[in-house]
Amino acid sequence: MTGEIETLADLSKHYKDSVPADLREAKSFEWYLEEVYAHPKIARNAHQRVADMFDFYGTRYDEDAGVVEYLMASEDPLHDGENVFYGREVHESIHEFVNKVKSGARGLGPEKRIKLLLGPVGSGKSHFDWIVRRYFEDYTMSDEGRMYTFRWTNIGDVIRDQDPSDDVVQSPMNQDPLVLLPQEQRDVVIEQLNENLDAPYTIRNDQALDPASEFYMDRLLAHYDDDLEEVVENHIEIVRLVASENKRQCIETFEPKDKKNQDETELTGDVNYSKLAVYGESDPRAFDYAGAFCNANRGIFSGEELLKLQREFLYDFLHASQEQTIKPKNNPRIDIDQVIVGRTNMPEYREKKGDEKMEAFNDRTKRIDFPYVLEYEQEAEIYRKMLRNADVPDIHVEPHTLEMSGLFGVLTRIVEPDSDTISLVQKAKAYNGELDDGDDVDVRKLREEGEKKADIAEGMDGVSARFIGDEIAEAIMDATHRGRGYLSPLSSFTHLEENLENHGSIPEENLERYHRYLEMVREEYKERAIEDVRHALAYDIDEIRRQGEKYMDHVMAYIDDATVEDELTGRDQEPDEKFLRAVEEKLNIPEDRKDDFRQEVSNWVSRRAREGTSFNPQDNDRLRRALERKLWEDKKHNINFSALVSANELDDDERNAWVDALVDQGYSRDGAREVLEFAGAEVAKAELEG
């Protein structure tokens, strides 16, 4: 163990430092009025506070993806990155959600709508909703996110039939203290607040007091001859309000239950039967403000699998969203202020969308698509995060393992391209940003085409990261049981293939297509494995530099229509077209595109020369790959491929050198031997077929 052991005193101090200094302190209404004049944002509504929360934790513009990232989702500073979200599409969805909240903060309409996160199972929508709630709790603990409410005190001194146990009553709806002011006087205060407000929105508050508080206010005003100052000075205390899902305070999660047992009182509250004998049935003090909408006031209402609710039950959301009020049984209407977030999967959405009787509800929702990740390297980061957050056995994850699993997932999610010039795997690579400068592929057009052909949107169906992550976990445990210290793509492919049929969320009609996609991924991995082995067996940095210099000499002579000096004879000769094409064909550059490629490389060399940087083919990824492949072609005839697949020659010095070279590329020694055998067999097979 490193570091000093934390004592109880240390832990206590850390806790005390983490909570607001005024958490337990009661203030006067006069104090609150002065404080809100100095800091108008204290009086924000729920949409405004949630909108500011996203900016509070930081933003970053990802120029490569062209999307705004909110650091609470892209870095997760509260949990040391444990809940980071990956993928351009996901961050676009988060940005869309934030934009709707910010529009609601400005009063542009979305504040009166349900923000409905729509996506397939395992797309991360529930986890994002969870993250928003966690950060809202933390934000309200900070000085920038603070809010206050009020409580009634010494009520029994004036209202004689008040139950002694109710002598101190906190605002049942945790309302902002400004609601204590009659609307005309409140408007004067709010106008002055907005004069000092530095924000893209204005403070607004036209809520009525909740029925119980309205009752207390009326009785107390009558007692004090309508002297509001006397009422608030003698019977009102201002207290800090901190959001807490566990306490059902300013955050509420609502889950659908058995349809037969659904009751609207779960949302709107019900009669407090323990108080009926004290106050009587029609008394507002005999109401229990324990409904989900009541608990979520001033914060966030989160509805899980919202569209699984009965149609009649969803009607309560109409007033809650559009009118921002609820109407409990046997109780006056209650104003509410909250961001209403719903989550639903695709089957429920399709069912409700086609229901004409749900038109009013659908009109009051703002759909936010939450798709699967469509960049396979970003998908691999999801699996990598899963491994980071778990107690993983001591096992080495070989190169390409997570990426190839991610590629399979992406292939199941994207739409087959219309054009015959690009394959599904090439489309996935294009989405992943693997386009070379000379590739004639329009990614934007591919995305537009995919959106048009998809049922709802591209990435809204397919295999989930949850399923693939489970199979990776199974492969890891299987490797552990077998005493294998590494996880390779080949073992993960086996687990994926064997368990596709066993996964309940994969429709049977998709199985054949998914198996075909797995074969595509195997083929892609074969090429990458051979490339790694090629690098290990034939890599010669000096030879690559020499060949690179030769290539550039002949390219420059070709462009300038000049000659080049022969290395052996010293005589001038024409550029060696055969040599140039031998390099370029390793990148599948056709004859009619060779001039473009040569000019591209020439421009790159000239640009580096102007910057004072000497030529090095290692610095140009495309040229380096082409030269490596040509060097491989030149040397492979001298390589004994049978040695790669022969277990009897594992201790051979040359073979160990190959293993060492692969270890330098990130392989374990056992994993290096496996990829040598796999790639060697494939190359030997190709040589025989050739």
Side-chain angles (χ1 to χ4, degrees):
M1 181 179 293
T2 59
E4 296 183 5
I5 296 175
E6 293 280 326
T7 66
L8 177 59
D10 295 330
L11 298 171
S12 178
K13 183 178 185 305
H14 295 330
Y15 165 73
K16 191 169 185 178
D17 291 342
S18 71
V19 300
D22 61 349
L23 183 62
R24 317 290 179 187
E25 188 176 346
K27 311 271 190 174
S28 68
F29 186 85
E30 187 69 38
W31 172 89
Y32 180 73
L33 205 55
E34 292 176 0
E35 191 70 9
V36 82
Y37 277 137
H39 306 284
K41 285 187 176 181
I42 292 174
R44 288 169 291 184
N45 63 32
H47 277 79
Q48 292 165 348
R49 187 168 272 105
V50 172
D52 287 345
M53 172 192 74
F54 279 92
D55 290 333
F56 173 74
Y57 291 99
T59 61
R60 176 179 59 229
Y61 181 69
D62 185 336
E63 293 186 7
D64 293 333
V67 65
V68 173
E69 291 183 356
Y70 295 90
L71 299 191
M72 54 183 278
S74 65
E75 294 186 4
D76 186 26
L78 283 186
H79 310 103
D80 294 327
E82 185 176 332
N83 304 287
V84 171
F85 288 80
Y86 297 99
R88 166 185 170 167
E89 292 77 18
V90 173
H91 284 292
E92 284 178 341
S93 299
I94 293 171
H95 185 47
E96 184 180 355
F97 175 86
V98 176
N99 278 347
K100 285 179 170 46
V101 174
K102 288 187 173 183
S103 296
R106 293 171 178 251
L108 294 174
E111 75 279 8
K112 298 181 179 181
R113 306 289 182 268
I114 299 166
K115 287 72 173 170
L116 186 65
L117 303 180
L118 171 67
V121 294
S123 64
K125 56 187 181 298
S126 297
H127 200 61
F128 170 67
D129 191 9
W130 179 87
I131 277 287
V132 171
R133 302 197 302 272
R134 296 293 76 76
Y135 275 82
F136 187 70
E137 289 176 329
D138 184 75
Y139 185 55
T140 61
M141 294 274 282
S142 70
D143 189 62
E144 291 82 355
R146 61 191 168 128
M147 54 183 173
Y148 295 87
T149 187
F150 61 90
R151 61 189 178 207
W152 300 95
T153 62
N154 305 317
I155 305 174
D157 294 349
V158 174
I159 305 175
R160 297 303 177 187
D161 66 342
Q162 185 77 3
D163 188 334
S165 64
D166 295 337
D167 195 46
V168 175
V169 178
Q170 181 150 327
S171 167
M173 296 291 291
N174 289 318
Q175 290 183 294
D176 189 291
L178 289 181
V179 180
L180 291 163
L181 297 174
Q183 193 65 55
E184 184 177 347
Q185 287 71 41
R186 192 190 316 168
D187 289 343
V188 172
V189 172
I190 289 175
E191 183 179 353
Q192 293 172 334
L193 293 183
N194 286 322
E195 289 178 359
N196 299 323
L197 179 67
D198 180 17
Y201 49 75
T202 57
I203 302 296
R204 298 180 295 276
N205 192 322
D206 56 3
Q207 286 195 339
L209 280 166
D210 66 79
S213 294
E214 187 73 42
F215 173 87
Y216 295 135
M217 179 63 80
D218 285 345
R219 294 286 292 270
L220 292 170
L221 284 173
H223 175 77
Y224 289 104
D225 196 22
D226 288 319
D227 191 331
L228 181 63
E229 185 177 8
E230 284 287 318
V231 171
V232 297
E233 283 186 352
N234 294 321
H235 299 283
I236 290 294
E237 289 180 346
I238 306 301
V239 290
R240 181 76 179 260
L241 178 62
V242 172
S244 171
E245 184 174 334
N246 286 341
K247 294 179 181 178
R248 303 179 73 189
Q249 184 168 283
C250 305
I251 297 179
E252 179 65 286
T253 54
F254 184 77
E255 302 175 5
K257 299 179 178 63
D258 182 0
K259 292 183 178 181
K260 296 180 180 179
N261 297 323
Q262 287 179 1
D263 190 329
E264 68 174 0
T265 59
E266 295 177 51
L267 288 171
T268 60
D270 197 4
V271 172
N272 186 341
Y273 292 98
S274 67
K275 297 295 183 182
L276 277 179
V278 179
Y279 297 125
E281 186 173 348
S282 61
D283 195 305
R285 292 173 292 177
F287 185 77
D288 185 6
Y289 294 82
F293 283 133
C294 302
N295 296 329
N297 199 45
R298 309 268 321 266
I300 299 169
F301 176 99
S302 172
E304 182 176 341
E305 303 296 346
L306 198 62
L307 296 189
K308 286 185 177 178
L309 294 168
Q310 285 181 296
R311 183 192 305 124
E312 293 75 16
F313 206 71
L314 288 171
Y315 289 158
D316 287 302
F317 286 86
L318 300 184
H319 278 292
S321 57
Q322 182 66 32
E323 306 299 332
Q324 297 177 307
T325 64
I326 55 175
K327 180 62 176 69
K329 292 179 181 178
N330 305 316
N331 206 61
R333 72 175 180 84
I334 303 173
D335 289 335
I336 60 173
D337 167 33
Q338 54 204 255
V339 178
I340 302 178
V341 182
R343 309 191 302 277
T344 193
N345 290 327
M346 304 300 291
E348 290 80 17
Y349 176 76
R350 290 190 180 98
E351 178 187 346
K352 290 295 192 293
K353 186 180 180 183
D355 187 347
E356 293 182 359
K357 296 180 180 179
M358 289 298 297
E359 184 178 355
F361 177 83
N362 292 333
D363 189 52
R364 287 166 174 80
T365 61
K366 286 287 186 180
R367 192 187 92 195
I368 301 161
D369 293 342
F370 218 91
Y372 289 132
V373 174
L374 298 184
E375 301 88 28
Y376 70 83
E377 287 184 347
Q378 289 290 293
E379 177 80 1
E381 290 298 326
I382 297 175
Y383 313 143
R384 204 162 276 118
K385 177 181 72 173
M386 174 196 75
L387 298 178
R388 281 199 309 269
N389 295 341
D391 296 324
V392 180
D394 186 13
I395 197 165
H396 187 276
V397 180
E398 302 299 312
H400 312 301
T401 302
L402 303 184
E403 287 75 14
M404 291 300 95
S405 297
L407 177 59
F408 169 67
V410 169
L411 292 182
T412 69
R413 302 166 189 171
I414 60 178
V415 175
E416 295 265 6
D418 287 334
S419 174
D420 294 333
T421 61
I422 183 171
S423 69
L424 187 66
V425 172
Q426 288 172 324
K427 178 177 177 179
K429 289 183 175 182
Y431 279 13
N432 196 53
E434 293 181 53
L435 288 179
D436 290 326
D437 293 339
D439 290 341
D440 188 18
V441 177
D442 188 336
V443 179
R444 176 180 291 183
K445 187 176 180 180
L446 281 176
R447 291 185 182 276
E448 291 174 353
E449 173 191 298
E451 291 299 308
K452 288 178 182 178
K453 291 181 66 176
D455 179 20
I456 291 179
E458 202 167 28
M460 297 295 274
D461 59 9
V463 171
S464 71
R466 186 181 298 158
F467 164 71
I468 297 176
D470 288 347
E471 296 312 312
I472 290 172
E474 288 292 326
I476 287 174
M477 296 313 300
D478 182 63
T480 302
H481 295 324
R482 294 172 182 270
R484 288 162 53 103
Y486 66 98
L487 175 69
S488 70
L490 296 177
S491 57
S492 64
F493 292 158
T494 300
H495 278 266
L496 287 169
E497 188 168 36
E498 290 177 348
N499 291 296
L500 279 174
E501 285 84 353
N502 300 328
H503 200 271
S505 69
I506 299 177
E508 188 174 348
E509 61 267 23
N510 291 348
L511 290 175
E512 182 180 348
R513 180 162 53 93
Y514 288 177
H515 280 293
R516 179 163 53 88
Y517 291 164
L518 263 176
E519 289 306 309
M520 293 180 182
V521 177
R522 285 181 186 272
E523 190 65 25
E524 176 65 23
Y525 170 62
K526 182 184 78 173
E527 296 300 320
R528 296 188 182 211
I530 291 173
E531 187 84 12
D532 287 348
V533 172
R534 177 188 297 137
H535 185 90
L537 271 60
Y539 191 65
D540 184 331
I541 189 169
D542 293 331
E543 181 64 14
I544 287 176
R545 177 183 285 275
R546 192 186 70 77
Q547 293 279 356
E549 291 172 348
K550 177 181 177 181
Y551 177 80
M552 287 312 306
D553 287 342
H554 285 255
V555 162
M556 300 303 266
Y558 173 83
I559 292 174
D560 296 337
D561 196 18
T563 58
V564 64
E565 183 179 301
D566 185 270
E567 294 178 354
L568 297 177
T569 66
R571 295 178 179 178
D572 290 342
Q573 64 175 14
E574 295 295 317
D576 188 344
E577 183 66 18
K578 184 178 179 180
F579 169 73
L580 292 175
R581 291 301 295 148
V583 173
E584 293 154 2
E585 286 170 356
K586 299 301 175 287
L587 294 176
N588 298 318
I589 294 172
E591 180 76 21
D592 60 355
R593 296 293 299 274
K594 68 180 183 182
D595 287 355
D596 293 337
F597 179 72
R598 293 172 186 178
Q599 189 63 57
E600 172 195 328
V601 177
S602 173
N603 292 341
W604 175 76
V605 171
S606 299
R607 185 167 60 251
R608 289 175 63 85
R610 289 195 299 271
E611 295 169 354
T613 305
S614 60
F615 169 73
N616 186 346
Q618 298 289 335
D619 297 335
N620 187 299
D621 187 57
R622 299 185 78 197
L623 182 57
R624 175 190 57 77
R625 279 187 282 134
L627 293 169
E628 281 185 9
R629 291 171 184 177
K630 184 178 183 306
L631 190 57
W632 164 264
E633 289 293 326
D634 295 341
K635 286 189 174 185
K636 71 178 183 179
H637 301 295
N638 298 320
I639 296 173
N640 181 8
F641 289 106
S642 64
L644 295 178
V645 295
S646 174
N648 296 326
E649 300 184 37
L650 288 178
D651 295 328
D652 179 78
D653 290 341
E654 185 178 19
R655 184 178 175 81
N656 282 332
W658 297 339
V659 170
D660 290 341
L662 285 165
V663 168
D664 290 341
Q665 295 183 51
Y667 286 87
S668 67
R669 299 198 71 80
D670 288 338
R673 293 186 180 98
E674 178 184 280
V675 77
L676 275 171
E677 293 173 15
F678 171 72
E682 292 293 338
V683 173
K685 178 182 174 184
E687 291 292 309
L688 287 174
E689 292 175 351

